[in-house]
Amino acid sequence: MIVVMKNGAKKEQIEKVKSTIIEIGYKPHAIKGVLKSVIGVVGDDRGKVIHLERLSLLEGVEKVVPISQPYKLASREITERTSRFRVDKATVGGNKICVIAGPCSVENEEQLITIAKAVKKAGATMLRGGAFKPRTSPYSFQGLGEEGLKLLAKAKEVTGLPIVTEIMDTDDLDLLEDYTDVLQIGARNSQNYSLLRRVGRSKKAVLLKRGMSTTINEFLMCAEYILSEGNEKVMLCERGIRTFETATRNTFDLNAIPVLKEKTHLPVFADPSHGTGYWQYVTPMTLASIAAGADGIAIEVHNNPEVAVSDGGQSLKPKKFAELMKKAAPVAKAVGRKI
Ligand code: PEP
Ligand code: MN
């Protein structure tokens, strides 16, 4: 449930509500709105009587509303406004669509810096690049590890772009936190609940990708794991799901964008690179994602895709990426956004 405070409720009144929530055995999550503060009440309710009345009688409380969805903190019922937060110098969840671009894997300095400069010039907001790669085969390139993180830090120094990189293991968190601005949870780890809880205790923003066979409701429950640990900086990313279709690598679920926008206040990203698996389809599906209401896009870009160590076939060359950015501008404008 959520406790909605009256307009201009005092800090002490909010504190009293929070301490009462703790007293009755739940966790409070305060969300400060423009006019009103809202406090989410979450926790294990087995064997407990929910003391709705007790909370509604406290001073400064306007109403106590039960949340109908199984995900609570992720639900749009808790706050109507799309969550907006900063990631280093970038803003996520605002009117301007956030563009994450870069190679699938960090391969070497020359590759990364060339791509980083090119995507920055074309208007990207953040740089992506995997240093720890989740590969289908244990014999495929697994990423450069810490060396890759160092190269990402160097690329940030050169371009100023915040860094997005994948975390595969809870053991790597301390190391990754030193280098990255956004922790990406990949499709294969989307329901790795111990990893979700761990990044939920991090101060870094999280880009949570949808699992290949995760329903939208399950996806939102994954986000709830992160939010329930206190990390509010969660970005959701549709990246295609597994279906019977074989003409594309995945079936990019464009429906998920408006559905998620309705169900959650969390910013919604689209990754048409993994969603389609072929560079030819990346631009049209990016434009479609923007038209459908995406708050951000994630695109794989490679300066030499023919020899890329991973996902070359779905990567745009820098020139094509710059063209995509140009084509995206009028589409963003048509739906009242900027890019
Ligand atoms: C990636 O972003 O390179 C990646 C591995 O994505 P996903 O987890 O969506 O497959
Ligand atoms: Mn990839």
Side-chain angles (χ1 to χ4, degrees):
M1 65 186 152
I2 48 173
V3 180
V4 181
M5 302 299 292
K6 289 181 181 151
N7 285 357
K10 296 194 186 78
K11 209 168 161 245
E12 310 85 75
Q13 295 173 333
I14 296 173
E15 287 312 312
K16 177 71 188 161
V17 171
K18 283 173 57 184
S19 60
T20 309
I21 292 170
I22 294 169
E23 249 173 60
I24 59 180
Y26 293 90
K27 264 199 222 169
H29 282 265
I31 298 166
K32 189 136 180 49
V34 186
L35 288 173
K36 291 180 202 275
S37 286
V38 161
I39 304 159
V41 184
V42 290
D44 187 344
D45 51 13
R46 278 174 302 178
K48 281 182 215 150
V49 187
I50 298 176
H51 303 263
L52 252 180
E53 186 144 336
R54 189 164 159 200
L55 289 171
S56 61
L57 292 175
L58 292 174
E59 264 179 65
V61 172
E62 184 180 297
K63 57 183 175 185
V64 179
V65 194
I67 297 183
S68 54
Q69 300 297 341
Y71 44 86
K72 309 290 177 194
L73 299 170
S75 172
R76 217 180 247 285
E77 292 168 84
I78 211 166
T79 169
E80 246 171 60
R81 218 176 67 145
T82 297
S83 285
R84 187 185 304 181
F85 47 84
R86 289 190 75 93
V87 172
D88 201 49
K89 288 189 200 85
T91 300
V92 178
N95 185 258
K96 194 168 187 293
I97 292 166
C98 179
V99 182
I100 301 172
C104 179
S105 300
V106 177
E107 297 171 19
N108 57 62
E109 183 167 342
E110 196 259 333
Q111 172 242 19
L112 187 66
I113 304 293
T114 307
I115 298 169
K117 282 183 180 163
V119 298
K120 159 91 184 185
K121 189 160 172 249
T125 346
M126 297 189 205
L127 177 69
R128 63 150 288 149
F132 294 91
K133 294 303 302 175
R135 303 307 300 280
T136 304
S137 164
Y139 309 118
S140 301
F141 175 68
Q142 304 286 307
L144 293 180
E146 187 168 6
E147 191 195 331
L149 297 176
K150 287 191 172 138
L151 294 178
L152 285 164
K154 190 155 195 183
K156 181 176 179 180
E157 243 176 68
V158 174
T159 60
L161 293 175
I163 301 300
V164 183
T165 199
E166 179 160 354
I167 174 160
M168 283 176 46
D169 200 306
T170 48
D171 287 351
D172 299 329
L173 186 67
D174 291 342
L175 176 68
L176 277 152
E177 279 183 325
D178 288 342
Y179 292 99
T180 196
D181 299 289
V182 179
L183 298 161
Q184 175 175 320
I185 305 268
R188 291 155 191 81
N189 266 318
S190 201
Q191 289 177 296
N192 178 340
Y193 299 120
S194 45
L195 184 59
L196 296 175
R197 278 195 196 281
R198 187 68 192 84
V199 299
R201 295 193 292 275
S202 173
K203 295 261 180 298
K204 301 284 179 178
V206 178
L207 178 71
L208 175 65
K209 289 194 148 193
R210 180 179 179 184
M212 302 179 201
S213 61
T214 311
T215 65
I216 291 175
N217 271 12
E218 286 165 347
F219 186 25
L220 288 167
M221 292 307 287
C222 299
E224 189 77 12
Y225 265 89
I226 305 173
L227 296 167
S228 71
E229 292 293 330
N231 191 343
E232 293 169 5
K233 294 188 229 165
V234 179
M235 298 130 86
L236 300 175
C237 184
E238 164 58 39
R239 49 77 71 205
I241 50 175
R242 195 54 78 79
T243 69
F244 56 81
E245 184 54 73
T246 52
T248 47
R249 180 178 179 187
N250 290 294
T251 296
F252 183 59
D253 184 10
L254 193 57
N255 291 349
I257 297 168
V259 174
L260 285 168
K261 290 297 296 175
E262 182 186 73
K263 288 179 181 284
T264 180
H265 55 88
L266 298 172
V268 176
F269 279 62
D271 172 353
S273 305
H274 292 86
T276 64
Y278 294 88
W279 71 265
Q280 305 91 298
Y281 310 136
V282 171
T283 298
M285 293 320 289
T286 300
L287 302 182
S289 303
I290 293 170
D295 299 296
I297 50 172
I299 310 279
E300 287 189 338
V301 178
H302 202 287
N303 55 336
N304 205 353
E306 298 81 3
V307 296
V309 296
S310 59
D311 289 351
Q314 66 188 34
S315 300
L316 293 183
K317 288 185 180 166
K319 187 165 166 272
K320 279 270 183 293
F321 175 70
E323 284 167 19
L324 178 156
M325 291 297 285
K326 286 213 174 78
K327 287 184 186 161
V331 179
K333 192 166 173 230
V335 291
R337 310 286 293 257
K338 287 200 175 101
I339 188 158

